[in-house]
Each structure stands twice: as structure tokens, then as C-alpha cells.
Amino acid sequence: MSSPGSGMFSGFTKLCKGLAVILIGGHVVVQLLPTSVTYLALIPARTIPFGWNLITAGYIEQSVHGVVVSTLGLLFMGKLLEPIWGSKEFLKFFFIVNFLTSVCVFITAIALYYLTMQEKYLYMPLSGFHGVLAGFLVGIKQIVPDQELYLLKIKVKWLPSLMLLLSIAISFFTPESATYLPSLIFGTYIGWIYLRYLQRKPESKLRGDPSEDFAFSTFFPEFLRPIIDPIASIFHRMLCGKSEASSNPQGYTLGGAPLLGSDPIEASRRRERGARALEERLAAEKLAAGRDSEEPHIDGNDRV
């Protein structure tokens, strides 16, 4: 007999389960062999000979609470994102965000060392899955931006911003912030860059999401957007040349010609698919929970 609420903990994809096993396995390895952190975590002073740690660092959680949060975040967010993106695209996003986040963290650590001349930035072992989780939050913001969280009464589109705001606030009181804050910031930004400009849509042969609802300024409160938009437009032109953003009905343009993969209508359809997928999953979980609650009652009647 299934326990009540089991529907919430079902429906995880095989890919996410496999990646979760890797996360747990990485944590077990560093607990049994502490010296393996030197080779698997990102230590900027040793990255040049041990270049593979730009990839492996994202799979290594050094604390118990870290591996628990990362595993649950992967399973639950993957359950929503993978069916919509597809397994191949989900894995591609996973690898790109993980690798580029590590590269950016490496560059930041080297820069901080030359600015402060403190060797801790060179030899601090940096690792964790939080950069990819931050990217997943951006993906959920894109797919179901107006979905409201049941308990917090907050729209999903604000989750990445609130996560960063809370992390920055905590960083003022905890010296360990240097081990996670850069990964969260870069994971969020790289996830947005990929989804905004690079993600391909096989069904429509389009790329990116040019909608105004997914602009960089949507990560900020309304009153800050007139300040953020001009700054963001500089980076937009760097990525798309002389382009008009989502105000152009044909999407991004490059030299007056439409840039492949920037249809706002397709972006709207993708959000609709995401909302439907989320509603179907919630309905299925409620139905499973209802069946579980009815089973004991039925069993009691049978005994009578």
C-alpha cells in the first residue's frame, strides 16, 4: 500500500535519478577519501594541471546538507523541466551551465587573488551543484513564470531573484559565502544566457526566447528596470549584433535579417506547454494522494 503523499515523490525521470546517484556517489567518495577533493574539486591554483576539475567540481558536494538539497532540487526540478525540454536538451543544459559556471568561478578566484594577494582564493576547494540548480530555477521561471507557489504565495518568476538576494544577504554574515555565492550568480546568468539566446527548439527549428517576459530586467523590481534595460542592451548587442529585442514581431534581427530561432509566439507556446505540464503533474499527484487516503477506509469496510 502506498503511503499518503507518495505521488509527490514519484514520477522522477531515469536521467535525473542517474544524475542523483552521481551526486550521492561523489559525496561518498570525498567522505571516504578526503584527499580526492584535491583532484575533484575546483582549486584554482591546481586547475591548470588538473583541468578536469572544471567539470567534476559541479558533482562534488562536500557536506551532507549540500548533497541532500542538491539531490532533491535535481529530482523535483528535473521532473518538471526534462519532459518539456527533452532528455537530450536537459543534459546539454546541465553540462553547459556546470562547465561555464566553473570557468567563471575559476576566473573570479584568480582575479580576487591578484586584487587582494590572499592565497586563500587560490587554494580554497570549490565545488557543489548549486550553480546548476540556479540555472534550473531560471528554466522554471521561463516555463511557468506566473505560477504561484502554494505556501509562499510568490510567483515562480521571482524565485531566481529571491534566491540570489537571500544568498547575498547571508554572505555578509558567513565567511563560507565565497564557496557558493559566485556559483549561484554565474549559474543564474549563464542559465539565462543559454535559454535566452542559444537553446534550440527541434520542433520549430528556432533558438532562444526573445519575449519581454524573459528579458534580463525581469529579474529586478519594476522601478529598477529603466536603469537595467540600457545596460542589458549593451550585452544584447554583443550577442546579437544590431538587433531589436522582442518588440520586433519577427524576433531578433541581425543586420536587418531575422536571426534563426527567435519567434515570440514559440516562446509563448512553450510557456503554455510548461503550465499544462505542471497542472497535469499536480493533478496526478492529488489523484494519487486521494487514492492513498481512500485505501485504508476501503480495507476497514472489507474487514467488517
Side-chain angles (χ1 to χ4, degrees), residues 13 15-17 19-20 23 58-59 61 69-99 101 128-145 156-161 163-164 183-195 199 214 219:
T13 66
L15 176 59
C16 288
K17 290 178 181 177
L19 294 173
L23 286 178
Y59 305 105
E61 288 288 356
V69 171
S70 295
T71 301
L72 292 177
L74 168 63
L75 291 174
F76 280 99
M77 287 193 277
K79 184 167 70 169
L80 173 62
L81 293 173
E82 187 186 342
I84 296 172
W85 288 350
S87 298
K88 183 178 180 180
E89 181 60 35
F90 181 83
L91 196 60
K92 183 179 178 182
F93 179 88
F94 181 99
F95 280 123
I96 289 176
V97 173
N98 178 54
F99 175 71
T101 296
F129 194 66
H130 27 271
V132 178
L133 291 181
F136 285 162
L137 281 180
V138 178
I140 294 175
K141 166 188 171 72
Q142 179 198 37
I143 293 171
V144 284
V156 168
K157 65 181 179 181
W158 293 113
L159 285 182
S161 305
M163 176 270 298
L164 288 178
S183 294
L184 292 175
I185 294 174
F186 289 124
T188 300
Y189 188 62
I190 291 169
W192 176 79
I193 285 287
Y194 179 80
L195 296 173
Q199 187 183 49
F214 197 55
F219 288 86

Side-chain angles (χ1 to χ4, degrees), residues 43-54:
I43 301 177
R46 297 171 178 170
T47 296
I48 298 303
F50 302 150
W52 60 80
N53 60 30
L54 291 171

